[in-house]
């Protein structure tokens, strides 16, 4: 058993409204949750303040994105300073939808990681290959390169959770097997060991994201030695999110 505390993130993406999120928050607040597992919900930015004011303090809240400077003429963006001002502790960065739908580069994601950590926010940093990249046999190259740019911008790894989210398993119904997830997680941990230190490799949580977390195999996934929890999309909006949190113990 590793000493790493399990981490389960919910990524609500651009879903919900005050009514439906309020109901979900009630479900989470009244649920019996395993306190060995750290739980964080990623809310749409306009609802961050609302969610933080309603959600029980035992559950963390994350923004799903932010910009790389404290303030200025950047219409439509939010800064880590604003996120902190709303009492929020975490930010999800580099999600594949940010990379592929909004064209965020490794470089920009790295700059955001650096600024969020300097601003004393925790970072859930996402990496993952597309189906074409996996089929071309470049999974390792892709996730190592993405991880390197993140790592170049991290001074303090205690505030970082790494999320491996194969793009082909996000919202597609395609499932990565526990073996497939473990294989990449093990390689990522090996990369951290070879390029950073034993201490970082042993302590950083590497969580798995993708549809398979909801397909009844989260227990099996969490039992893999290098899988330290999940980043859950669609299912984190449903009451079964509670089962995923509790199944990972
Ligand atoms: P999914 O999304 O669980 O809906 O596949 C995961 C994610 O994008 O974080």
């Amino acid at each position: 058993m590793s000493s790493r505390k399990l981490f389960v993130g919910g990524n609500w993406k651009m879903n919900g409204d005050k009514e439906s999120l309020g109901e979900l928050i009630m479900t989470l607040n009244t649920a019996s949750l395993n306190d060995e597992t750290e739980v964080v919900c990623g809310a749409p930015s306009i609802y961050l303040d609302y969610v933080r004011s309603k959600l029980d303090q035992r559950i963390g809240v994350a923004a799903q994105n932010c910009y790389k400077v404290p303030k200025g003429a950047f219409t439509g963006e939010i800064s880590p300073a604003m996120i902190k001002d709303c009492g929020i502790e975490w930010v999800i960065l580099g999600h594949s939808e940010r990379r592929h739908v909004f064209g965020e580069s490794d470089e920009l994601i790295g700059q955001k990681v650096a600024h969020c950590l300097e601003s004393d926010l925790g970072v859930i940093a996402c990496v993952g290959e597309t189906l074409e990249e996996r089929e071309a046999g470049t999974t390792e190259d892709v996730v190592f390169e993405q991880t390197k740019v993140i790592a170049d911008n991290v001074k303090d790894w205690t505030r970082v959770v790494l999320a491996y989210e194969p793009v082909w398993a996000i919202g597609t119904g395609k499932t990565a097997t526990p073996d497939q997830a473990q294989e990449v997680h093990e390689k990522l941990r090996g990369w951290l060991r070879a390029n950073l230190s034993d201490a970082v490799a042993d302590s950083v949580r590497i969580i798995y994201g993708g549809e398979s977390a909801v397909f009844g195999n989260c227990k099996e996934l969490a039992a893999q030695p290098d899988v330290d929890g999940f980043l859950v999309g669609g299912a984190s909006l449903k009451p079964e999110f509670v089962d995923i949190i509790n199944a990972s113990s």
Side-chain angles (χ1 to χ4, degrees), residues 26-140:
M26 278 297 284
T27 304
L28 291 170
N29 286 354
T30 51
S32 134
L33 301 179
N34 182 337
D35 26 274
E36 298 302 309
T37 301
E38 188 168 358
V39 183
V40 173
C41 292
S45 58
I46 196 163
Y47 295 135
L48 284 170
D49 209 12
Y50 171 75
V51 172
R52 185 60 290 170
S53 69
K54 301 256 174 210
L55 194 61
D56 193 290
Q57 286 295 333
R58 71 198 162 134
I59 303 173
V61 178
Q64 298 173 10
N65 182 34
C66 68
Y67 199 48
K68 61 176 180 178
V69 292
K71 62 177 179 155
F74 302 102
T75 304
E77 295 291 318
I78 59 171
S79 72
M82 293 167 177
I83 294 167
K84 276 215 73 159
D85 195 33
C86 292
I88 311 298
E89 312 84 359
W90 291 91
V91 181
I92 301 170
L93 291 175
H95 189 277
S96 68
E97 287 146 20
R98 298 301 323 167
R99 293 176 186 272
H100 298 294
V101 181
F102 299 100
E104 289 194 12
S105 65
D106 274 340
E107 191 194 3
L108 176 60
I109 293 161
Q111 291 165 340
K112 290 180 177 190
V113 167
H115 183 56
C116 281
L117 291 170
E118 278 159 17
S119 311
D120 199 27
L121 281 171
V123 171
I124 303 167
C126 307
V127 300
E129 82 287 4
T130 63
L131 185 59
E132 298 75 58
E133 288 162 343
R134 172 163 281 258
E135 285 174 347
T138 57
T139 297
E140 248 178 76

Side-chain angles (χ1 to χ4, degrees), residues 11 13 95 165 169-171 210-211 231-234:
N11 179 5
K13 308 193 180 182
H95 189 277
E165 302 208 299
I170 294 180
E211 198 72 17
L231 186 55
V232 183

